[in-house]
Amino acid sequence: MTESAREGIDITRVLDAPRERVFAAWTTPEDFAAWYGGDAEVPLDRVSMDVRPGGDWSLVIVLPGTELPFHGEYREVVAPERLVFTLKDTTAPADIQGETVTVAFTDRGDRTTEMVFRQRGGNLTAEQYAAAGDGWESFFDALAARLASR
């Protein structure tokens, strides 16, 4: 296992969409619900996003027989360049802020965008970070498909 896998998650993707469109996919409830969770259902009426520093976000992934709520707080919002927010699920202790997610969007000049994703916090084991990384990869596959369809 790599050192970064023990400390967090780092993923870089080049997406076939302009930077403003990719940023909107992270900050618009309809878009976010369509790709967050990969193939799982995220009902739009279970998504809340107050996209500003100090604003809260939440959503619920619905799987057969269970629901997985996630929530956090936006720390930085620099459209269309950067998002920083916290991320917690119901298994996280109430007294921690959760993981910190940083996403940077770079315009590559050819209507494509480099998205650099980083999750840190030290709240997960190496195995949990590996599983979460696999989950994010699945989510980003769904994000790429959504951007390609528009």
Side-chain angles (χ1 to χ4, degrees):
M1 184 149 311
T2 66
E3 187 66 25
S4 64
R6 286 191 291 272
E7 296 174 359
I9 302 165
D10 294 286
I11 300 170
T12 299
R13 289 275 185 114
V14 175
L15 299 164
D16 191 20
R19 177 169 69 165
E20 292 76 13
R21 177 70 189 105
V22 178
F23 186 85
W26 279 84
T27 58
T28 305
E30 295 81 6
D31 280 327
F32 201 57
W35 67 264
Y36 193 99
D39 293 333
E41 179 187 6
V42 176
L44 187 55
D45 66 347
R46 307 285 299 274
V47 178
S48 173
M49 302 175 86
D50 181 9
V51 185
R52 62 180 177 80
D56 293 328
W57 72 273
S58 65
L59 62 74
V60 177
I61 297 175
V62 178
L63 298 169
T66 191
E67 293 187 347
L68 304 171
F70 291 87
H71 68 278
E73 177 183 304
Y74 292 100
R75 297 288 173 84
E76 290 181 45
V77 178
V78 182
E81 299 172 11
R82 179 178 163 94
L83 280 175
V84 179
F85 58 92
T86 60
L87 168 68
K88 285 180 73 169
D89 66 16
T90 56
T91 65
D95 63 340
I96 66 165
Q97 73 173 7
E99 296 286 298
T100 299
V101 171
T102 303
V103 191
F105 309 94
T106 303
D107 182 349
R108 293 173 36 106
D110 56 357
R111 297 190 51 80
T112 64
T113 301
E114 181 181 73
M115 179 183 76
V116 177
F117 171 92
R118 182 177 183 184
Q119 178 178 327
R120 294 289 186 275
N123 299 300
L124 305 178
T125 66
E127 293 78 17
Q128 289 171 320
Y129 275 124
D134 290 345
W136 280 113
E137 290 282 8
S138 171
F139 294 3
F140 296 155
D141 289 345
L143 171 61
R146 173 133 179 117
L147 292 169
S149 72
R150 298 190 156 236

